[in-house]
Amino acid sequence: MSQILQPAATALTDNVVAVTVPADGGWLGVLRTATAGLAARLRFAGDKIEDLRIAVDEACAMLLVIAPPGGQLHCRFEIGDTELTVAISAPVNGTRKLPDNSAFAWKVLSGLTSRVDAEQADGRATIRLVTELPTA
């Protein structure tokens, strides 16, 4: 019997939205669309929306490489007073690790966002992308 997995999107508060999808490249479009929709709602310019979509896609790709089959990607959008933080996390398959912070992928993320950091602990890896909110 096959089971259809559907993404779970839950508004946690007025300033936090969480979306969880299977850790499979076929589901990244859901996260890209959620990212673009939220960025548009926050009145980001078109090029900044695209930068954020690309950054989320790149971060997810880095996590997919180390996630176990059947794992999930958890994406948490937190709207602060001056910035949007996107934290994407996934379980880690065995002893696999995120690429070194000198890798090209990190340079891409740093060029597309205001700030990027990562942590890996307790069998889980998280990448945080921080982007300044547009000014009125």
Side-chain angles (χ1 to χ4, degrees):
M1 173 185 282
S2 68
Q3 178 182 6
I4 297 175
L5 295 174
Q6 295 185 12
T10 306
L12 300 175
T13 69
D14 288 344
N15 295 331
V16 176
V17 174
V19 181
T20 300
V21 297
D24 178 284
W27 288 92
L28 294 186
V30 172
L31 295 180
R32 286 191 299 267
T33 301
T35 300
L38 181 60
R41 181 179 170 106
L42 293 172
R43 293 183 168 60
F44 276 80
D47 60 333
K48 293 296 184 185
I49 293 171
E50 192 58 26
D51 285 353
L52 193 55
R53 278 175 28 110
I54 293 168
V56 166
D57 195 53
E58 186 67 32
C60 288
M62 290 169 55
L63 290 167
L64 286 179
V65 171
I66 64 172
Q72 293 185 324
L73 286 175
H74 179 73
C75 189
R76 183 178 192 271
F77 301 89
E78 184 172 347
I79 306 161
D81 292 335
T82 60
E83 53 194 26
L84 170 65
T85 301
V86 183
I88 307 151
S89 65
V92 176
N93 190 5
T95 59
R96 300 188 83 176
K97 295 186 183 275
L98 287 167
D100 183 77
N101 63 3
S102 64
F104 180 73
W106 291 113
K107 305 246 185 276
V108 170
L109 292 178
S110 296
L112 295 170
T113 60
S114 303
R115 193 170 65 251
V116 61
D117 66 60
E119 66 183 16
Q120 191 166 333
D122 300 323
R124 193 156 195 85
T126 302
I127 299 173
R128 279 183 201 77
L129 309 169
V130 179
T131 303
E132 292 178 19
L133 292 173
T135 55

